[in-house]
Amino acid sequence: MLNKFCKKPLWECNEDLVRVARGDEFADLVIRHADVVSVATQEILPDSDIAIKDGRIAYLGMDSHTAEHCIGPDTRVIDATGLVATPGLMDSHIHVESSMTSVSEYARAVVPHGTTAILTDPHEVGNVRGLEGVKSMFEDAKNAPLKSMMTPPSCVPAVLGVEDTGASITDKDIAETMTWDNVVALGEMMNFPGILSGEKNALGEVRATLRTDRVVTGHFPSPDVDRDLNAYIASGVSSDHECGSWESVLAKLRLGQYVQLRYGSAWLNLPGYLPQLIESGVCTAHCLLCTDDCHPNTLVSDGHMDRVLREAVRLGLDPIVGIQMCTVNAAHYLGLTDMGVIAPGKCADIVLFKDLSDFDAKMVFIDGELVAQDGVAKFPRADHQWPDWMTHTMSLGFEVTPQTFEIPALRTSKLGVAVPNGATVAEGLGDDACAPVPDGTVTVRAIGITPGDTITRDEFVEVPVKNGLLVADHGHDVLKACVFDRHHGADGVHSFGFVTGFGIHGALAQTVSHDAHNLLVMGDNDEDMALAAQTLVECGGGETAVVDGKILALVELPVCGLMSAGSVDDVAAQVAKAEEAWKQMGCTMPSPFMTMGVMSLACVPVLRLTNRGYVNCVTFQMEPLMEEK
């Protein structure tokens, strides 16, 4: 995909580049005396010059050869003595919506940290507003210099038959997106069960992508490293970021996949396998770095790909190898042959770092333009006007009350079947109700949470029965959970269950609830849960924390219930307040809202709660809350 994301196509300016390199014409910009990281040879080229013309590199002066001959009266010259020049950093897998900001605001957060390109999968917006929503989202991307390369969402819904989304995307839709200028790959193929079972639409999306010589990005959290993994890769899926162990990383590398080593706000997988990767000595050419999901306060306070590099180096990785993983390796995977390297003819996406330990970006260039300096973006904030249909997406069809969350204690496998929006659980059971369980305790199925990971557990826990109702048990860290279809009004359904591992008192609610992004509410009492739910209905979506009838924190996300129309700094401050509220409520895990947000993610093992009920994400069968006796 030569010429796709550069200021000028190479065929249009190659003659000028030749003339500048030979000294027959002057450069627009010359960066002098930098220590250049050569990702092609895995070395540092000391005291080197970089001459830039028309957004591309024309000349790299090294080994005592300088760019003096490229400098004219109008050439801008930057003295980079003492600084290290690297190619612009690329995030090989990211969901911008997780930053809770628009793409242009996301750019203002990450570009000052050295990120010049992202491979972004907008399947959050896709699940709420479909491809029209994706188009609207990327209209805003044009307001920033960040190279936002799209991978259209492949799994809307993520898994068929277990949840209700606001839209659906088919193989015909994917074929259409492959004609879009900013599309470089297919978004993560989360429906690995569909691929393995030969599902027509899933394989059709892969075929539609491969026909255009684009790559298919993956999502394979299964521990299988034999037949299923081979079959998944054989279908055409050529990368994966869902690795929970070194064994998974090694197997995927040996089978030819590119492995995206992940270190985001909540999914802190890098320490779990990078030391073994380093010790093994295996080739890292197929290793990429990614964040997957980053909260805004992480971006504002800690950084983006520079943060990932710092962690990788702390774990023992050679910094140049780390830079390769988020520059040339990513570019090669995507077929973007004019990106990811500081070399003649390539895009002039360059970062000047203070050093290769702190990765403090002093200057950032995209297509030869200075876009950030000393941690501050040098491009203006966009005033993007969102259409009403992108900011009015909360459609429950009824008013949530404390009675909505009452779960009768009935020993029946029907307890757990989805209830129509507006109906109580008892009304939903109808004639299927049976004799109640006496007050005391009873065993129920619950989602077990693993901090810092996407994997959950299918557990059975004891909960109290009081006045004929199942109740939460804060003392034993067992909370109620409920998921409401927010896309279809009175025609929608909601479900209920229990979760353990968060350790909070009070209630939390959010519409950032992967992947259908329905309204997810969790808590230890019905009154706080009702207040949390109704608060988000009224503000158009977001995240909130409630304790004893008081709203401790609220992050308003009116754009699809996922993103703010405000600045990334404002959103980061709101999220920081929300995380402080979590701590006050008793939670100690990192980025707990993000962990809560995957409780409905039906494409990752083991147990999830969607608006239709419990889903066993190994067998993809619905599970009851209680077994009949």
Side-chain angles (χ1 to χ4, degrees):
M1 284 180 274
L2 188 69
N3 304 317
K4 198 169 181 65
F5 291 97
C6 294
K7 180 180 179 180
K8 277 190 177 182
L10 186 56
W11 58 262
E12 187 177 305
C13 62
N14 61 347
E15 184 176 354
D16 289 339
L17 298 180
V18 170
R19 293 175 59 81
V20 170
R22 289 178 55 82
D24 300 327
E25 187 176 328
F26 297 130
D28 300 324
L29 169 69
V30 172
I31 299 171
R32 303 213 63 189
H33 308 302
D35 293 334
V36 174
V37 172
S38 171
V39 293
T41 57
Q42 200 173 312
E43 60 179 330
I44 293 178
L45 312 176
D47 194 17
S48 299
D49 294 352
I50 308 166
I52 297 165
K53 178 72 174 180
D54 292 332
R56 290 181 178 267
I57 297 167
Y59 174 84
L60 175 60
M62 53 187 172
D63 297 330
S64 77
H65 300 291
T66 74
E68 287 282 357
H69 62 288
C70 304
I71 300 173
D74 297 322
T75 301
R76 182 182 181 187
V77 179
I78 293 176
D79 185 353
T81 300
L83 300 179
V84 182
T86 76
L89 308 184
M90 302 170 66
D91 191 336
S92 65
H93 178 68
I94 180 68
H95 304 287
V96 167
E97 301 98 312
S98 295
S99 72
M100 304 180 197
T101 63
S102 65
V103 182
S104 63
E105 272 300 311
Y106 178 86
R108 291 183 61 80
V110 303
V111 169
H113 291 279
T115 301
T116 59
I118 57 174
L119 188 64
T120 177
D121 181 346
H123 71 213
E124 325 301 357
V125 163
N127 271 276
V128 178
R129 282 294 186 247
L131 286 182
E132 288 305 310
V134 169
K135 286 181 181 178
S136 178
M137 178 179 173
F138 276 81
E139 280 299 311
D140 171 68
K142 298 175 183 177
N143 295 318
L146 176 68
K147 295 182 177 180
S148 299
M149 302 175 288
M150 192 208 294
T151 65
S154 64
C155 299
V156 178
V159 180
L160 296 176
V162 299
E163 64 183 347
D164 295 295
T165 60
S168 62
I169 293 176
T170 68
D171 54 348
K172 292 183 175 62
D173 296 322
I174 291 301
E176 176 199 333
T177 66
M178 291 300 146
T179 67
W180 297 359
D181 288 341
N182 60 343
V183 168
V184 297
L186 181 65
E188 57 176 304
M189 178 47 71
M190 296 178 289
N191 188 10
F192 65 93
I195 294 294
L196 299 180
S197 65
E199 184 185 293
K200 182 178 179 181
N201 189 69
L203 286 171
E205 290 183 342
V206 172
R207 283 193 290 265
T209 304
L210 298 177
R211 284 192 196 102
T212 65
D213 289 329
R214 289 176 172 86
V215 296
V216 178
T217 64
H219 171 113
F220 190 81
S222 168
D224 180 274
V225 294
D226 185 29
R227 296 185 184 186
D228 285 354
L229 179 58
N230 272 270
Y232 185 66
I233 296 172
S235 75
V237 182
S238 51
S239 68
D240 192 78
H241 62 278
E242 289 288 350
C243 295
S245 66
W246 162 237
E247 291 74 21
S248 176
V249 171
L250 183 60
K252 290 169 184 178
L253 289 174
R254 285 174 170 171
L255 292 174
Q257 272 198 321
Y258 281 80
V259 176
Q260 295 149 318
L261 310 175
R262 179 170 59 184
Y263 193 72
S265 290
W267 324 133
L268 308 175
N269 299 116
L270 201 60
Y273 43 59
L274 186 60
Q276 294 96 318
L277 173 64
I278 297 167
E279 185 179 357
S280 73
V282 301
C283 178
T284 58
H286 276 207
C287 293
L288 314 177
L289 293 177
C290 78
T291 61
D292 196 1
D293 293 293
C294 271
H295 259 195
N297 48 340
T298 299
L299 298 175
V300 170
S301 62
D302 297 333
H304 184 225
M305 296 307 295
D306 57 330
R307 169 178 173 264
V308 182
L309 283 171
R310 282 193 294 273
E311 177 66 8
V313 171
R314 185 189 72 79
L315 292 168
L317 187 66
D318 182 321
I320 299 178
V321 175
I323 292 166
Q324 287 176 318
M325 291 181 181
C326 54
T327 57
V328 65
N329 293 7
H332 280 182
Y333 171 56
L334 297 170
L336 298 169
T337 54
D338 50 4
M339 295 173 63
V341 182
I342 296 178
K346 309 300 184 183
C347 296
D349 302 336
I350 299 169
V351 186
L352 296 180
F353 285 113
K354 182 179 179 181
D355 55 51
L356 297 184
S357 55
D358 292 334
F359 291 97
D360 179 13
K362 309 308 292 182
M363 291 185 175
V364 183
F365 301 85
I366 296 180
D367 290 333
E369 299 291 332
L370 181 63
V371 292
Q373 186 168 6
D374 295 323
V376 179
K378 296 185 73 67
F379 50 95
R381 175 167 286 116
D383 183 21
H384 185 67
Q385 300 300 310
W386 294 99
D388 286 347
W389 55 271
M390 287 286 281
T391 58
H392 292 79
T393 62
M394 293 295 291
S395 179
L396 257 64
F398 75 105
E399 182 177 353
V400 180
T401 68
Q403 289 69 42
T404 304
F405 298 95
E406 292 182 349
I407 307 174
L410 303 171
R411 195 177 297 282
T412 169
S413 60
K414 297 293 183 181
L415 197 61
V417 175
V419 178
N421 279 357
T424 65
V425 175
E427 291 168 342
L429 285 171
D431 294 337
D432 290 318
C434 62
V437 176
D439 284 6
T441 62
V442 69
T443 302
V444 299
R445 176 175 267 108
I447 299 173
I449 295 299
T450 303
D453 201 352
T454 58
I455 305 297
T456 61
R457 300 181 304 279
D458 184 356
E459 297 191 351
F460 285 90
V461 298
E462 293 291 313
V463 297
V465 179
K466 294 183 180 179
N467 300 319
L469 299 175
L470 301 179
V471 297
D473 186 357
H474 172 68
H476 293 91
D477 189 19
V478 180
L479 307 174
K480 278 186 184 179
C482 190
V483 181
F484 298 89
D485 178 347
R486 70 173 175 101
H487 306 297
H488 301 100
D491 294 328
V493 297
H494 66 276
S495 69
F496 44 88
F498 290 88
V499 60
T500 181
F502 285 101
I504 63 107
H505 165 59
L508 302 129
Q510 58 190 75
T511 50
V512 179
S513 175
H514 301 273
D515 270 328
H517 297 291
N518 285 309
L519 173 60
L520 171 61
V521 188
M522 179 178 75
D524 67 356
N525 70 90
D526 299 344
E527 290 74 19
D528 282 350
M529 292 175 76
L531 176 57
Q534 202 57 40
T535 298
L536 294 191
V537 171
E538 291 170 1
C539 75
E543 303 178 345
T544 191
V546 176
V547 175
D548 298 330
K550 179 182 178 181
I551 299 172
L552 295 188
L554 174 61
V555 182
E556 296 188 38
L557 304 174
V559 182
C560 292
L562 300 169
M563 298 180 291
S564 170
S567 73
V568 66
D569 294 302
D570 290 344
V571 180
Q574 292 175 29
V575 172
K577 186 175 180 181
E579 293 204 342
E580 183 58 36
W582 274 82
K583 293 177 184 177
Q584 293 177 35
M585 296 165 77
C587 185
T588 59
M589 68 175 61
S591 296
F593 262 121
M594 195 168 286
T595 302
M596 179 179 170
V598 297
M599 283 170 52
S600 295
L601 187 57
C603 58
V604 178
V606 172
L607 183 68
R608 305 287 158 164
L609 181 68
T610 74
N611 71 296
R612 296 194 191 183
Y614 276 135
V615 184
N616 182 319
C617 299
V618 177
T619 65
F620 293 94
Q621 302 295 315
M622 306 305 292
E623 299 282 7
L625 180 64
M626 294 172 60
E627 299 292 345
E628 261 184 286
K629 284 191 176 180

Coordinates of all heavy atoms in Angstrom, one line a residue, residues 220 222-233 251 255:
F220 N -7.9 -14.6 19.2 CA -8.0 -16.0 19.4 C -7.6 -16.3 20.9 O -6.4 -16.6 21.1 CB -7.2 -16.8 18.5 CG -7.4 -18.3 18.5 CD1 -8.5 -18.9 17.9 CD2 -6.5 -19.1 19.2 CE1 -8.7 -20.3 17.9 CE2 -6.8 -20.5 19.3 CZ -7.9 -21.1 18.7
S222 N -8.5 -18.6 22.9 CA -8.6 -20.1 23.3 C -7.2 -20.6 23.6 O -6.2 -20.2 23.0 CB -9.1 -20.9 22.1 OG -8.9 -22.3 22.3
P223 N -7.1 -21.4 24.6 CA -5.8 -22.0 25.0 C -5.3 -23.1 24.0 O -4.1 -23.5 24.0 CB -6.0 -22.7 26.3 CG -7.5 -23.0 26.3 CD -8.1 -21.9 25.5
D224 N -6.1 -23.5 23.0 CA -5.7 -24.5 22.0 C -4.6 -24.0 21.2 O -4.6 -22.9 20.7 CB -6.9 -24.8 21.1 CG -6.6 -25.8 20.1 OD1 -6.0 -25.4 19.0 OD2 -6.8 -27.0 20.3
V225 N -3.6 -24.8 21.0 CA -2.4 -24.4 20.2 C -2.2 -25.5 19.1 O -1.2 -25.6 18.5 CB -1.1 -24.3 21.0 CG1 -1.2 -23.1 21.9 CG2 -0.8 -25.5 21.8
D226 N -3.3 -26.3 18.8 CA -3.1 -27.4 17.9 C -4.1 -27.2 16.7 O -4.0 -26.3 15.9 CB -3.3 -28.7 18.6 CG -3.1 -29.9 17.6 OD1 -2.3 -29.8 16.7 OD2 -3.7 -31.0 17.9
R227 N -5.2 -28.0 16.7 CA -6.0 -28.0 15.5 C -6.8 -26.7 15.3 O -6.9 -26.2 14.2 CB -7.0 -29.2 15.6 CG -6.4 -30.6 15.6 CD -7.4 -31.7 15.6 NE -6.8 -33.0 15.7 CZ -7.4 -34.1 15.6 NH1 -8.7 -34.1 15.4 NH2 -6.8 -35.3 15.7
D228 N -7.4 -26.2 16.4 CA -8.2 -25.0 16.3 C -7.4 -23.8 15.9 O -7.8 -23.0 15.0 CB -9.0 -24.7 17.6 CG -10.1 -25.7 17.8 OD1 -10.4 -26.5 16.9 OD2 -10.8 -25.6 18.9
L229 N -6.2 -23.7 16.5 CA -5.3 -22.6 16.1 C -4.8 -22.7 14.7 O -4.8 -21.7 14.0 CB -4.1 -22.5 17.1 CG -3.1 -21.4 16.8 CD1 -3.8 -20.0 16.9 CD2 -2.0 -21.4 17.8
N230 N -4.4 -23.9 14.3 CA -4.0 -24.1 12.9 C -5.2 -23.7 11.9 O -5.0 -23.0 10.9 CB -3.6 -25.5 12.7 CG -2.1 -25.8 13.0 OD1 -1.3 -25.7 12.1 ND2 -1.9 -26.1 14.2
A231 N -6.4 -24.2 12.3 CA -7.5 -23.9 11.4 C -7.8 -22.4 11.3 O -8.1 -21.9 10.2 CB -8.7 -24.6 11.9
Y232 N -7.7 -21.7 12.5 CA -8.0 -20.3 12.5 C -7.0 -19.5 11.6 O -7.4 -18.7 10.8 CB -7.9 -19.8 14.0 CG -8.3 -18.4 14.2 CD1 -9.6 -17.9 14.0 CD2 -7.3 -17.5 14.7 CE1 -9.9 -16.6 14.3 CE2 -7.7 -16.2 15.0 CZ -9.0 -15.7 14.7 OH -9.3 -14.4 15.0
I233 N -5.7 -19.9 11.7 CA -4.7 -19.2 10.9 C -4.8 -19.6 9.5 O -4.7 -18.7 8.6 CB -3.3 -19.5 11.5 CG1 -3.1 -19.0 12.9 CG2 -2.2 -19.0 10.6 CD1 -1.9 -19.5 13.6
A251 N 3.5 -20.4 20.1 CA 2.8 -21.2 19.2 C 2.3 -20.4 18.0 O 2.5 -20.8 16.8 CB 1.6 -21.9 19.8
L255 N 3.6 -20.7 14.0 CA 2.6 -20.9 13.0 C 2.5 -19.7 12.0 O 1.6 -19.7 11.1 CB 1.3 -21.2 13.6 CG 1.2 -22.6 14.3 CD1 -0.1 -22.7 15.0 CD2 1.5 -23.8 13.4

